[in-house]
Amino acid sequence: MGFIFDKNTWQEIFGSIGKNKTRTIITVIGVLWGIFIYIALSGSAKGLDNGFEKAFETVAMNSMFVWAQSTSMPYEGFKTGRQLQLKMGDVTVLENRVPEIQSIAPRNAKGVFGDAPALVVNGQKSGNYAIYGDFPVFTKIATKKIYDGGRFINDDDIEQTRKVCVIGERTQNELFEKDEDPIGAYIRVDNIYFQIVGIHKFTPGGGFETDGDIYIPFTTYRKLYNTGDNVGWLTIAAYDDADVVQAEADVKAVLKSIHKVNPDDERAFGSFNLGEVFNRIMGFAKGMTFLSLVVGIATILAGVIGIGNILLISVKERTKELGVRRALGATPSEVKNQIILESVFLTVIAGIMGIILGAATLSLINSFTEGGDFPYANPTVPIPYVLGALAIMVVLGTLIGLIPAQRAVSIKPIDALREE
Amino acid sequence: MIEIKDLHKSYKMGSNSLHVLKGINFKAEAGELVAIMGSSGSGKSTLLNILGMLDEADSGEYTLDGVPIKNLNETKAAKYRNKFLGFIFQSFNLINYKSALENVALPLYYQRIPRKERLAKSMKYLEMVGLKEWSHHLPNELSGGQKQRVAIARAMVGEPKVLLADELTGALDSTTSYEVMDLIQKINDQGNTILVVTHENDIAHMCKRIIHLKDGVIEKDEKVKQVRASQYV
């Protein structure tokens, strides 16, 4: 293999590939295009993947919402169409009976599902906003970003039924002056004064929440709106390794048994499984990655075959030259090595240029989509993939180079020389 | 230097075979300048190809400088060609994308001689054929005579035991032919063994010995009085 590092070998190779520059360039473009497609596609797929992940980063990937509806089947003496209501007691039972549950946050809300939002007043300014009654554990399921100087609802707030609230950015803009610090200030929510303890930053990520939402302690909400033990809906996070679909079924089964609902009643409890949706989206992203891999490699293959094809023509054109070289003392293996090296060299050069071009394109796309709504972030191709692609190209370049190389030495020098 | 005994060669053309060489015997000593003459189809090119190890005889013995040449595979033949032989072709066969100097240096490349040394030596031989100033020109920038002189330099550069020239003046006009033959004679004067295949009488008479081939056998093998090409130049 020493000939690879021999300067003379390379001088010969540069000499022969340099003699037909147009053809060399077109050949190189074939493979360059292949690797470019591969890099651009798999990078984009990765970007999409990252984008989805980013969009979901504020919500636990394996979380779900469960709410009560009305029964559609009679059971144990209850008639059809009975309106169900989740209770605080359900939470403890669920925690005890469904091992997949990591955390469970009961929530109540006003002004979200069709009912009138609360009137919120600060001095001369007022507005209508949705009010949520929450437990601190909610932040474990859906991250809430709180601006510096503020906090979310804590356990003491719940225990002491404090009249504190976390307001949204929009609420702040609408109810306060620009230079006013709302933390510590009081606002009137449905005629009760609440002290503001925090401002949450709104992160779009689907769901029904907005940037104007006001969070208050669950216990305070209960008193304010007289909801007793009622719970609007449950937000549940399963453990990372748990099967979310199974957890969802388990939760519903337990709820049915608590509320004496026919186990086969599909409509009694509604649920939205973020985990399942997430899995589907990630599955899509994975599919994209796989597809881009297949398409990319197929394109590379096409490019490499193109190189083989061109070299085959080139060998045919150079029959006489190769004959002369052999008459002057080139051994068949020297001729072969030269042609294979030409093939590999062209492939690798094209590959490296394609990788650079692909990376440049990816960074260009990234700079265009940055900050937009499109789920696309940080498109990268892992280094092992890049090296893998290069390795594939060296191997393919060698294999494809073998064909013209074999052909070059299959002609006897005497026949090669005779050819006019 | 060269010794062949009872050389036979036939080519298969479909179902019938063509017997080209029908038992050739001859000997050439070191420093000889031999012309092989014959009409087309006489087998002179085949003989030269066998002598050049580009082709193999069906039977017979071939000894080159005491080395029996037989059972050659391609690799071995290539090494022998590189070491023992210098080729001069009718159509020059220079590599068109390499400069005159690089063309001359090619046999040395296959001898694995370092580039610097290779080019220095090649330059020396280009100077010998009088083309030092043309060393960086591509073959298509040279005249026919110049091309053939580059080819001669290329054949000489590896310091072979024997120079084999196949119709070396075939593509040249008579003045240029004589110039080239003058060069060949000068090289021969330095003691090099040269075999020239030609069908031109005047070229053959510039050699020291003429072997007439006819229908695959040696018809006549005669020493001639050498005509110096320099008198025509």
Side-chain angles (χ1 to χ4, degrees):
Chain A
M1 291 304 267
F3 67 92
I4 290 179
F5 303 104
D6 191 352
K7 202 171 144 206
N8 295 325
T9 313
W10 291 103
Q11 276 154 353
E12 283 303 307
I13 285 175
F14 288 136
S16 59
I17 61 179
K19 78 170 168 156
N20 199 333
K21 291 194 180 64
T22 322
R23 192 163 69 197
T24 304
I25 289 167
I26 291 172
T27 315
V28 161
I29 285 174
V31 171
L32 188 151
W33 182 246
I35 188 102
F36 169 75
I37 293 280
Y38 167 77
I39 293 288
L41 268 183
S42 54
S44 297
K46 181 72 184 159
L48 215 57
D49 201 55
N50 288 343
F52 284 135
E53 214 153 291
K54 200 176 166 192
F56 281 93
E57 72 182 349
T58 56
V59 187
M61 304 298 187
N62 44 2
S63 63
M64 64 187 101
F65 308 119
V66 181
W67 61 91
Q69 294 171 171
S70 57
T71 58
S72 64
M73 284 168 141
Y75 191 61
E76 287 192 6
F78 292 108
K79 64 179 166 70
T80 301
R82 175 168 54 107
Q83 186 66 43
L84 296 169
Q85 176 64 55
L86 292 173
K87 296 286 183 184
M88 274 309 283
D90 300 349
V91 175
T92 337
V93 180
L94 282 173
E95 271 176 341
N96 289 337
R97 287 183 44 192
V98 183
E100 290 101 327
I101 293 178
Q102 185 180 31
S103 33
I104 176 164
R107 301 187 81 188
N108 269 323
K110 179 178 162 58
V112 181
F113 304 112
D115 52 341
L119 177 68
V120 182
V121 183
N122 175 36
Q124 296 299 310
K125 296 180 171 180
S126 69
N128 290 302
Y129 304 101
I131 306 291
Y132 290 79
D134 269 313
F135 280 100
V137 71
F138 175 66
T139 54
K140 284 191 182 164
I141 301 165
T143 319
K144 283 280 162 241
K145 281 194 184 129
I146 307 289
Y147 278 109
D148 283 350
R151 63 171 176 84
F152 197 68
I153 289 148
N154 63 25
D155 288 331
D156 287 344
D157 298 334
I158 299 286
E159 228 165 88
Q160 299 171 22
T161 329
R162 280 178 183 159
K163 286 176 282 188
V164 292
C165 65
V166 176
I167 63 169
E169 287 169 274
R170 181 159 62 88
T171 323
Q172 179 193 0
N173 290 339
E174 289 173 0
L175 296 185
F176 291 89
E177 299 295 340
K178 279 231 158 51
D179 52 351
E180 212 174 342
D181 182 12
I183 305 287
Y186 287 88
I187 52 171
R188 226 163 66 215
V189 177
D190 279 341
N191 279 323
I192 307 288
Y193 278 95
F194 278 77
Q195 187 176 25
I196 296 168
V197 293
I199 297 152
H200 67 84
K201 183 178 180 8
F202 175 69
T203 39
F208 40 75
E209 294 177 6
T210 73
D211 54 353
D213 296 338
I214 294 172
Y215 303 107
I216 64 174
F218 191 87
T219 46
T220 318
Y221 184 97
R222 182 153 76 184
K223 269 192 168 174
L224 180 62
Y225 296 109
N226 200 23
T227 51
D229 256 357
N230 290 352
V231 171
W233 73 96
L234 297 169
T235 305
I236 299 170
Y239 282 103
D240 286 340
D241 51 357
D243 177 0
V244 278
V245 179
Q246 186 55 42
E248 183 188 9
D250 290 351
V251 165
K252 279 173 144 181
V254 171
L255 284 174
K256 281 172 194 169
S257 86
I258 299 171
H259 292 274
K260 294 192 170 55
V261 174
N262 189 326
D264 297 329
D265 193 340
E266 291 297 324
R267 291 204 223 150
F269 292 97
S271 62
F272 180 76
N273 196 331
L274 257 180
E276 203 189 335
V277 173
F278 181 76
N279 281 348
R280 223 175 274 161
I281 290 174
M282 287 325 260
F284 168 73
K286 276 203 187 73
M288 287 287 291
T289 311
F290 179 72
L291 188 74
S292 64
L293 209 69
V294 170
V295 170
I297 287 175
T299 323
I300 291 175
L301 195 68
V304 173
I305 289 172
I307 285 198
N309 199 3
I310 296 275
L311 278 178
L312 212 53
I313 297 169
S314 153
V315 160
K316 177 110 185 86
E317 268 176 24
R318 285 165 62 191
T319 305
K320 188 143 192 191
E321 178 206 324
L322 296 172
V324 173
R325 281 173 182 272
R326 288 171 70 187
L328 296 180
T331 62
S333 62
E334 278 171 322
V335 172
K336 242 186 194 170
N337 287 342
Q338 186 184 343
I339 287 161
I340 292 172
L341 263 189
E342 277 175 31
S343 165
V344 172
F345 178 73
L346 285 181
T347 323
V348 168
I349 285 294
I352 290 170
M353 282 178 7
I355 287 169
I356 293 170
L357 210 66
T361 309
L362 283 181
S363 89
L364 198 72
I365 296 175
N366 194 32
S367 67
F368 277 130
T369 55
E370 207 146 50
D373 282 342
F374 193 65
Y376 190 85
N378 194 22
T380 52
V381 182
I383 293 293
Y385 279 42
V386 175
L387 294 181
L390 267 182
I392 286 175
M393 291 195 316
V394 172
V395 171
L396 287 180
T398 311
L399 289 180
I400 214 81
L402 274 174
I403 300 169
Q406 193 52 49
R407 168 148 190 172
V409 296
S410 71
I411 308 170
K412 287 186 131 198
I414 177 171
D415 298 323
L417 285 171
R418 202 179 282 145
E419 196 163 297
E420 287 296 327
Chain B
M1 181 60 75
I2 290 176
E3 190 174 358
I4 52 177
K5 271 186 195 157
D6 200 26
L7 209 64
H8 284 267
K9 176 75 186 174
S10 51
Y11 288 108
K12 285 218 159 53
M13 297 278 196
S15 53
N16 39 346
S17 98
L18 191 66
H19 206 169
V20 184
L21 297 181
K22 302 165 183 167
I24 306 269
N25 295 287
F26 93 95
K27 227 178 197 182
E29 301 302 328
E32 277 202 84
L33 175 52
V34 184
I36 299 172
M37 274 198 83
S39 56
S40 67
S42 61
K44 58 187 193 303
S45 284
T46 306
L47 178 60
L48 195 77
N49 285 336
I50 290 170
L51 291 176
M53 298 176 220
L54 293 168
D55 209 346
E56 231 178 321
D58 297 336
S59 64
E61 281 171 38
Y62 172 22
T63 315
L64 177 62
D65 196 30
V67 181
I69 307 297
K70 57 181 177 185
N71 300 329
L72 292 180
N73 60 21
E74 281 289 347
T75 308
K76 216 167 167 190
K79 293 219 164 108
Y80 279 178
R81 283 198 289 266
N82 189 257
K83 215 164 106 188
F84 293 142
L85 301 171
F87 286 94
I88 303 163
F89 304 95
Q90 177 177 8
S91 50
F92 324 126
N93 283 343
L94 299 176
I95 293 173
N96 56 17
Y97 59 89
K98 283 176 175 288
S99 69
L101 184 64
E102 285 171 323
N103 263 294
V104 174
L106 204 57
L108 300 179
Y109 167 72
Y110 291 113
Q111 284 177 12
R112 312 225 166 279
I113 289 174
R115 185 173 168 86
K116 262 207 177 125
E117 205 181 309
R118 203 159 82 206
L119 292 182
K121 199 169 173 192
S122 307
M123 197 52 129
K124 210 180 85 192
Y125 278 90
L126 265 185
E127 201 176 353
M128 182 194 86
V129 300
L131 289 174
K132 194 183 176 193
E133 290 76 33
W134 296 84
S135 63
H136 292 288
H137 287 257
L138 291 175
N140 60 15
E141 295 162 342
L142 303 175
S143 70
Q146 286 173 322
K147 278 187 212 174
Q148 197 57 295
R149 280 191 278 162
V150 172
I152 290 168
R154 182 176 68 181
M156 289 293 296
V157 77
E159 287 160 1
K161 308 235 178 270
V162 176
L163 276 189
L164 299 175
D166 188 5
E167 302 277 10
L168 83 164
T169 57
L172 304 174
D173 61 67
S174 55
T175 319
T176 323
S177 294
Y178 296 145
E179 279 171 16
V180 168
M181 278 316 288
D182 183 36
L183 185 60
I184 290 291
Q185 285 175 341
K186 279 176 183 154
I187 291 167
N188 177 245
D189 291 344
Q190 292 161 10
N192 292 292
T193 317
I194 304 175
L195 254 67
V196 177
V197 162
T198 184
H199 64 270
E200 289 168 81
N201 228 347
D202 53 343
I203 298 297
H205 278 88
M206 289 174 179
C207 299
K208 294 172 176 168
R209 176 179 164 192
I210 301 175
I211 293 173
H212 295 271
L213 271 186
K214 195 176 180 188
D215 298 331
V217 289
I218 294 178
E219 189 187 43
K220 200 162 89 183
D221 185 348
E222 55 173 354
K223 297 248 186 225
V224 294
K225 193 181 173 297
Q226 190 181 28
V227 179
R228 293 302 292 192
S230 53
Q231 69 195 49
Y232 298 106
V233 176

